[in-house]
Amino acid sequence: MEMEPETLVTSSGGQDGSHSERPSEPSSSSTVARVKKLLFRQVLVGIKDGRFFMGTFHCMDKQGNIILQDAVEYRSTRRNSPSPMEQRCLGLILIPFSCRTSCHVECPIEEQMSLMTIQE
Amino acid sequence: MDWNSTPAEQAEPSMGRRSPLPLSSTIPASPNTVWVDATPLLQAACTDLLDGELIHGENFNLFAAMSALEIMDPKMDSGMICKYYSVDEAIEDGVGPVPISFDRTTDVQCTLDIMDHLLACEATWHKGHSLAQTVFSCIYLLRPERTVPSPILHSYCKIIRATCKAIVSVVSDARTHEEEDLFTMAYGLPLDGDGDEKSLSLLNAVEENLCRQLRACKAQSSRRKQDMEPLQSDIDMEEGYCKALLCRLRFRKHFFHVLACMRRPQGKGLELARKHIASSMSELECIRKSADFLISIASGGCSIGIEDRTTASGRQPIGFDASLNSRVSAPAPPRSIKMLSWNKAIEYFEKLLRDLDFICSYSLDPSLEVLLRFVTQFQSSRPDLVARSHLQLLLVQEGRLYGRDPMFAVITRAAGLPETTKNHDIQRYESVMQLGQLVINMLKIVCTNTAWQRRKLGKSLQDWRVIYVQLELAFTNKFGEVLATSNDENGVARVVKQILIWLEEQAYWIAFRFLMLGFELELYSPSEFFMVYWYLYAVLVKLAEKTDSRMEITEITAKRKGKKRKDSSKDVGRETRIPPAVRFLQCQIHLVEGLTLLQAALRNEMAALHSLTPFNSEQEIFLQHFELLQKACIPEQITYHSFKESTSYARFSNIATPNCFQQAQKLAKELRSSFSNDHDRLAELRRLEQVAEHNSVAMNVICQLGAVEPNSLKVSFEFIHHPCYATAVVRRA
C-alpha cells in the first residue's frame, strides 16, 4: 500500500522549501503539499488512553482529524509497568484531533535528516 | 514489519504535549526506516488548509470514509480503555478475588449473587447479544484455573462454560441464525473445557456435600454431627443458604442434561429430556422462591430498583466487567447492552424449557403434513433461537427426516403413494434428488424466525415452480404420451404424476404460509387487507383443489390395491366424500371470500376507505406485496387487473347473499366432529367460527345501514379473534 514517496524536501532546506511540482488544490501552501506527500505512508498515532494505532495515512482535515487505513491497534497489558503488547486489526479508523497525543511518520533514514531540518 | 514482543519502555500517557518516541524500539517500521515526529508539520498544514479542505489521495471516497471507526467514541471504539488495560491487570487490582471473602457467609452470599447474575447474562446472550459482553464479562469465567480453591464457584463456572459451548454448538450447526450472528462468536473465550463428564462429576460432588450440610443443619442440635463443617458461619441461615445454592446447582445440572439428551441422534433422548426439563422447571421455581430469603438478609440496601436487579438479593455481583472483553466481542462496533433483569431471566428460561418440552413431546410422525402442522403450532408461541435451533436439528439430520427417513420416502408418503414406492428407481433421477433437497430446505426454513422465514419461503417459490416444470419435462420426454392417461399400469408414470400433484399442493401451502405470516409480521396496512384476502382466496382455492386431488388419487390407489379405507364414514353420500382436511380449507375460503367482498364493497361504496397515499398507486402496492408469488406463477393468471375486475362489482346490495360468513360458520360447526381428537385444529375451528359469526353480523349491519346512510358508519378491521382473519368492527361515525 505504500507508495515510494518523493524526497520530501530539497537539500537546500530553508523555511519555505521549494518544490518542483505545483499543487493543484485550492491552497497553494507548501506545508499542505508536503503533508500530501506523506499520504499512503505508515503512520503511528498515539492516543490519550495509552494506545497506539499504526496504519496508512489516508486523510486529514483542517481540524487535524486523521483517517488511517488498515489500522492496527497496539496496547500494553499493564498501565504502568513494562509489559507485552497486544495488537488487533481495525481497518479504516478516524482519530479525532482531541484524543491524539503523538503522530510519527515512517521515513527512510536519509530523509529523516532533511525532514528534521524543515521542522525546526 | 518486525514485531518485538519483549517488554519495552512504556511512555507515560502524554497530556497533549509531544511525546518522545515511546515505541520506536518495539515497533520498528522496517530495517531502513525510522519514525519521525510529524506533529509540527501537520499543525502547520492544518493552519494553512482552507475551511472544509481535506488532504487525501486519489483513492479517497467520502462515502467510504464515513464508515471509519471513530476512536474514543464508546459506540464505535470497542478497544477504548475504560479502567483496566487487560483482564490480568483487573485481577491484580482485586476485581475478582478468590476466595471472594474470608468470611464464609459473605463468600456464600457473593457466590449466590454471581450465580444469579450469570443467569441474567446467559438469558441476555440468548436474546441476541455477544457472549463476550454477557456471560464472559465474568472474570471468574475468563480465568478458569483461578477458581479451583472455591469448589462451589469452580463447579458452577465449569458447568456454565460447558452449557454455553453446547448451545453455541447447536446454534452453529443449525446455521440459520443470520440475523442473530453475535450469538456464536466466541473467539478468544475459554469455552473449551476439560469435558462434559468432568463438569458433571464436579457438580455432583459439590451437590452431595451441600446435601450433607443441609441434612446436618436440619438435624437436632444434640445429634448434630460435629465433624460436618457447615457451609457458613450463621447457623440460623444455614438451611436457607444451602437450599439456595442447591437449587441453583441442580438447575444447571438438569438443564445441561436436557441439552445433551436433545442432541442425541434420531430423537432417542427426547423422553429422558422431558424428565430433566420437568426437574429444571421445579428447580427454577425453588430459585425464584429463594429470593425472599436472600432479599431479607441482604446487607446494604438494594442499589437498583427491585425489578431491574440482576440478582435475587438485589446486590451488585462481584467480579464482572463487561468492558474488559469488548475487544474480543467483535472488531465491529460494540452494541450497548441492557442486561435482562433476574426475574426476566427466569421467565426466559421457563419459556425456553416449555418450548423445548413441546419439541420433546413430538411423536416424530412420518407424515410431512402432520410435521408441518406441528411446526406451525410450535412457531405460534414465538419460540426463541435456542429452541428453534433444537427443533431444526431434530427434523433434519444427515439429510434425512429425524435422521431416520430418507427424503424420497418422505415425499412418496406425502404424495399418498404406497409404502413400497420408497424403493422406486426414480429416486436416483437428478430432478427427484433436487426435490428432496428442496424439501430439506423448506424444513429448515420453517424453523427459523418469522421474518427470515417469510423471506426465504417467498424466494423458494420459484424453485418449487422450476422443479415442477423440470420433473414434468423429464418424464414427459422419456415416456411421451404415457403421462396423459391416468389408467396406465406403468409404475413410473403413476408415481411421477402423484408426486407432481403433491408438489403443487406443497407449493400452494408455502404461498399460503407466506401470505399469512405477513399478518403476523404486520406487513400489511389496513387499506391493503382486502387485496391480501383476495390473493389468499385465490391461493386457498388452489390449495384445496390440489389437496383434494392428492387425497382422491390416494384413495383410488388404495382401492385398487384392495386395502380397506381408513375412514369408512366417507362411504355415505357425496358431500362427505370431501375429506375433512379439504373442508377445513373450504371453511377458510368462505371466510376470506366474505372478507374480500365486504372490504371491496366498503371501498366501492364509501370513499372514506380509499386512503390514497401520494407514494404508491394501488397497482404498485399489489405488485410489491405479491411479486414473489407472481414470479412463480402461484397461482397462474392472477394479475392486478383480474383483481380489480373481480372486486369492482361488490356493493352493499349484492354481497350479503349468499352470506359467505354464515357458510363458513356452518362448516366450522360441522367439522368439529371430524377433528375431535385434534386439539390444535379444534381451537382453530373455534377461532374461525368466532370470526365468521361476528363478521356475519357486521356484514348484515353494514349492508342494511350502508345502503341507507353510508356515512353514518365507521368500520375498522381488527384481529380480535384470529391473528390473521380480521373481524369487522362497526361503530357509529
Side-chain angles (χ1 to χ4, degrees):
Chain A
M1 279 295 281
E2 280 183 49
M3 285 170 16
E4 264 306 285
E6 300 170 12
T7 320
L8 207 59
V9 291
T10 60
S11 47
S12 56
Q15 238 10 41
D16 44 347
S18 50
H19 285 275
S20 43
E21 69 160 31
R22 292 224 164 259
S24 53
E25 60 271 6
S27 70
S28 52
S29 145
S30 60
T31 48
V32 172
R34 286 210 296 279
V35 172
K36 238 198 148 185
K37 295 234 159 90
L38 297 180
L39 287 169
F40 305 113
R41 288 207 197 185
Q42 287 294 95
V43 151
L44 188 65
V45 179
I47 300 294
K48 272 186 182 152
D49 68 358
R51 290 179 291 164
F52 285 85
F53 293 91
M54 177 156 69
T56 315
F57 184 37
H58 191 66
C59 176
M60 187 178 79
D61 66 4
K62 186 170 169 65
Q63 286 73 40
N65 303 317
I66 291 175
I67 294 185
L68 299 181
Q69 203 168 24
D70 301 325
V72 176
E73 173 201 90
Y74 290 92
R75 73 202 256 157
S76 166
T77 45
R78 295 289 186 284
R79 185 186 292 272
N80 295 318
S81 50
S83 53
M85 301 280 287
E86 290 177 344
Q87 68 179 77
R88 65 183 186 133
C89 298
L90 291 182
L92 196 69
I93 63 171
L94 169 81
I95 301 174
F97 176 72
S98 54
C99 60
R100 166 162 61 99
T101 57
S102 70
C103 182
H104 291 82
V105 71
E106 190 182 27
C107 272
I109 294 180
E110 324 74 68
E111 201 188 314
Q112 179 191 16
M113 298 305 301
S114 333
L115 185 61
M116 281 170 70
T117 321
I118 282 300
Q119 289 184 359
E120 288 316 312
Chain B
M1 184 193 69
D2 279 345
W3 162 228
N4 188 345
S5 62
T6 57
E9 285 157 15
Q10 186 65 24
E12 284 147 35
S14 49
M15 298 297 153
R17 57 183 165 81
R18 234 195 305 162
S19 56
L21 300 163
L23 289 184
S24 56
S25 54
T26 45
I27 314 181
S30 61
N32 297 319
T33 59
V34 289
W35 293 112
V36 178
D37 190 3
T39 321
L41 178 58
L42 293 180
Q43 256 171 7
C46 285
T47 321
D48 288 348
L49 277 172
L50 301 176
D51 283 335
E53 193 186 348
L54 297 175
I55 297 179
H56 62 81
E58 269 167 21
N59 68 340
F60 181 80
N61 176 302
L62 190 60
F63 188 73
M66 302 264 293
S67 68
L69 295 172
E70 188 174 322
I71 300 303
M72 295 301 266
D73 179 332
K75 288 207 183 86
M76 286 193 262
D77 187 3
S78 55
M80 214 165 81
I81 296 174
C82 304
K83 194 170 177 210
Y84 296 111
Y85 276 48
S86 63
V87 176
D88 298 302
E89 194 180 40
I91 290 172
E92 283 158 19
D93 202 40
V95 174
V98 177
I100 304 169
S101 164
F102 286 104
D103 171 54
R104 282 183 300 145
T105 310
T106 314
D107 192 85
V108 166
Q109 283 173 347
C110 292
T111 307
L112 283 163
D113 292 337
I114 291 171
M115 290 179 173
D116 289 342
H117 192 80
L118 276 173
L119 192 77
C121 288
E122 203 181 343
T124 310
W125 168 48
H126 284 204
K127 282 287 193 182
H129 293 287
S130 74
L131 196 53
Q133 282 176 282
T134 52
V135 179
F136 281 88
S137 64
C138 177
I139 286 193
Y140 296 111
L141 282 174
L142 288 173
R143 294 284 185 270
E145 60 295 335
R146 288 185 70 233
T147 47
V148 172
S150 300
I152 299 178
L153 186 61
H154 186 63
S155 62
Y156 196 82
C157 288
K158 252 181 133 49
I159 197 76
I160 290 265
R161 276 195 297 272
T163 308
C164 290
K165 188 173 166 204
I167 292 197
V168 168
S169 157
V170 163
V171 173
S172 304
D173 289 349
R175 268 195 296 263
T176 49
H177 54 283
E178 252 182 37
E179 284 153 13
E180 295 137 307
D181 56 359
L182 281 184
F183 196 96
T184 53
M185 284 185 68
Y187 311 131
L189 295 175
L191 269 183
D192 287 321
D194 293 329
D196 306 340
E197 297 79 33
K198 200 150 181 231
S199 312
L200 281 170
S201 64
L202 253 170
L203 204 60
N204 284 331
V206 169
E207 188 188 338
E208 220 181 281
N209 207 35
L210 274 170
C211 282
R212 275 192 230 120
Q213 284 166 331
L214 180 62
R215 274 199 298 272
C217 78
K218 276 168 141 179
Q220 302 284 333
S221 49
S222 55
R223 286 153 64 189
R224 202 167 282 166
K225 288 208 179 94
Q226 293 303 315
D227 53 349
M228 184 73 236
E229 199 189 344
L231 175 67
Q232 42 83 53
S233 40
D234 192 338
I235 303 177
D236 299 323
M237 303 295 157
E238 177 84 352
E239 188 180 335
Y241 280 125
C242 285
K243 281 187 173 164
L245 280 172
L246 270 172
C247 58
R248 283 159 175 77
L249 290 166
R250 283 177 179 150
F251 166 71
R252 290 255 68 108
K253 177 178 74 173
H254 286 295
F255 185 62
F256 186 74
H257 277 300
V258 170
L259 300 176
C261 289
M262 286 189 76
R263 281 307 308 261
R264 282 171 62 185
Q266 299 180 25
K268 295 210 167 106
L270 293 185
E271 212 180 302
L272 186 55
R274 287 195 89 178
K275 297 200 176 99
H276 283 293
I277 288 174
S279 304
S280 306
M281 296 276 260
S282 81
E283 296 302 338
L284 266 180
E285 194 48 44
C286 292
I287 293 176
R288 213 196 231 124
K289 288 207 185 95
S290 71
D292 296 327
F293 166 71
L294 291 170
I295 290 177
S296 65
I297 52 167
S299 49
C302 186
S303 53
I304 352 166
I306 203 80
E307 275 315 307
D308 283 342
R309 74 193 202 280
T310 54
T311 59
S313 65
R315 274 192 309 256
Q316 292 276 50
I318 289 182
F320 288 82
D321 188 336
S323 68
L324 288 173
N325 253 342
S326 55
R327 303 168 74 230
V328 200
S329 56
R335 292 181 194 172
S336 63
I337 293 184
K338 179 141 199 293
M339 208 64 82
L340 239 54
S341 73
W342 184 68
N343 280 323
K344 285 269 183 288
I346 295 190
E347 274 172 29
Y348 168 80
F349 276 100
E350 282 172 343
K351 176 167 199 311
L352 174 61
L353 286 166
R354 277 196 302 270
D355 292 335
L356 290 176
D357 191 57
F358 190 79
I359 297 172
C360 291
S361 69
Y362 183 51
S363 58
L364 303 189
D365 198 304
S367 155
L368 186 62
E369 201 186 335
V370 172
L371 169 59
L372 288 174
R373 268 210 308 279
F374 171 76
V375 176
T376 308
Q377 203 191 342
F378 170 70
Q379 289 276 30
S380 64
S381 67
R382 314 271 172 120
D384 285 306
L385 175 61
V386 175
R388 283 187 269 112
S389 303
H390 276 96
L391 177 62
Q392 194 201 299
L393 289 181
L394 175 66
L395 296 185
V396 181
Q397 297 168 32
E398 291 169 12
R400 290 171 173 233
L401 186 67
Y402 318 128
R404 185 185 74 193
D405 306 334
M407 276 304 137
F408 185 67
V410 173
I411 292 171
T412 51
R413 194 177 298 117
L417 289 160
E419 274 297 302
T420 47
T421 326
K422 68 184 183 192
N423 300 320
H424 205 288
D425 282 337
I426 65 163
Q427 64 186 290
R428 278 183 271 281
Y429 283 84
E430 170 123 11
S431 39
V432 176
M433 286 174 71
Q434 279 176 356
L435 180 59
Q437 191 55 50
L438 210 57
V439 175
I440 289 180
N441 290 348
M442 179 187 69
L443 290 175
K444 288 184 178 172
I445 291 171
V446 291
C447 294
T448 60
N449 73 67
T450 330
W452 205 78
Q453 187 186 148
R454 186 176 188 269
R455 265 207 320 276
K456 291 295 172 184
L457 281 177
K459 288 200 181 147
S460 74
L461 282 171
Q462 264 197 300
D463 298 332
W464 284 85
R465 182 81 189 152
V466 165
I467 286 266
Y468 181 90
V469 169
Q470 276 178 351
L471 210 53
E472 199 179 40
L473 265 171
F475 289 95
T476 313
N477 287 340
K478 241 175 132 56
F479 296 98
E481 291 166 346
V482 171
L483 276 176
T485 49
S486 55
N487 290 328
D488 69 289
E489 289 303 319
N490 186 316
V492 174
R494 185 176 47 81
V495 168
V496 169
K497 189 164 175 212
Q498 247 179 283
I499 290 181
L500 285 173
I501 292 175
W502 164 78
L503 215 168
E504 272 194 298
E505 181 196 347
Q506 195 60 61
Y508 281 113
W509 181 86
I510 292 177
F512 170 61
R513 183 114 178 102
F514 173 80
L515 290 170
M516 296 290 263
L517 282 173
F519 282 110
E520 283 186 38
L521 289 164
E522 296 179 31
L523 291 175
Y524 315 124
S525 70
S527 60
E528 293 161 10
F529 286 170
F530 92 113
M531 63 171 80
V532 180
Y533 287 132
W534 180 85
Y535 218 106
L536 258 173
Y537 173 79
V539 168
L540 274 168
V541 163
K542 281 291 191 185
L543 180 58
E545 189 187 304
K546 301 298 168 189
T547 309
D548 195 34
S549 303
R550 191 250 309 163
M551 287 182 153
E552 193 179 346
I553 207 166
T554 308
E555 270 184 46
I556 294 173
T557 317
K559 252 179 156 170
R560 206 185 287 132
K561 297 267 179 185
K563 294 196 175 98
K564 285 206 175 87
R565 276 191 295 189
K566 282 180 189 161
D567 188 0
S568 55
S569 66
K570 285 189 206 159
D571 282 322
V572 183
R574 198 188 139 73
E575 269 301 301
T576 50
R577 193 182 64 77
I578 305 175
V582 177
R583 296 176 76 206
F584 189 80
L585 290 169
Q586 276 176 345
C587 175
Q588 295 179 71
I589 290 172
H590 288 308
L591 205 54
V592 164
E593 190 182 0
L595 280 165
T596 310
L597 287 174
L598 181 57
Q599 292 184 319
L602 282 164
R603 286 173 82 85
N604 292 336
E605 300 258 31
M606 288 162 63
L609 265 183
H610 278 276
S611 54
L612 287 165
T613 69
F615 305 112
N616 281 351
S617 70
E618 192 181 65
Q619 183 169 12
E620 277 170 321
I621 295 176
F622 184 91
L623 288 171
Q624 276 166 6
H625 277 308
F626 308 122
E627 186 186 347
L628 290 168
L629 294 161
Q630 298 260 283
K631 267 194 197 158
C633 304
I634 291 172
E636 288 176 10
Q637 285 140 22
I638 297 288
T639 62
Y640 175 72
H641 295 290
S642 56
F643 157 69
K644 285 309 273 180
E645 261 181 44
S646 52
T647 52
S648 59
Y649 75 92
R651 294 283 184 280
F652 292 144
S653 52
N654 58 24
I655 59 168
T657 328
N659 188 326
C660 300
F661 294 120
Q662 269 176 7
Q663 289 174 320
Q665 199 181 347
K666 180 163 166 277
L667 201 46
K669 276 208 183 83
E670 282 170 13
L671 280 168
R672 277 190 220 163
S673 54
S674 308
F675 294 115
S676 49
N677 289 332
D678 189 332
H679 295 288
D680 182 40
R681 287 225 257 210
L682 276 180
E684 178 70 359
L685 279 170
R686 264 195 296 275
R687 283 190 290 265
L688 294 176
E689 207 184 315
Q690 284 192 309
V691 177
E693 195 179 329
H694 283 85
N695 278 334
S696 175
V697 170
M699 182 153 81
N700 285 330
V701 168
I702 291 169
C703 290
Q704 282 163 21
L705 283 176
V708 181
E709 320 160 51
N711 295 319
S712 67
L713 297 174
K714 214 169 68 156
V715 185
S716 62
F717 288 89
E718 290 157 35
F719 299 103
I720 308 171
H721 305 107
H722 193 283
C724 306
Y725 298 127
T727 307
V729 177
V730 187
R731 296 185 185 91
R732 283 272 175 201

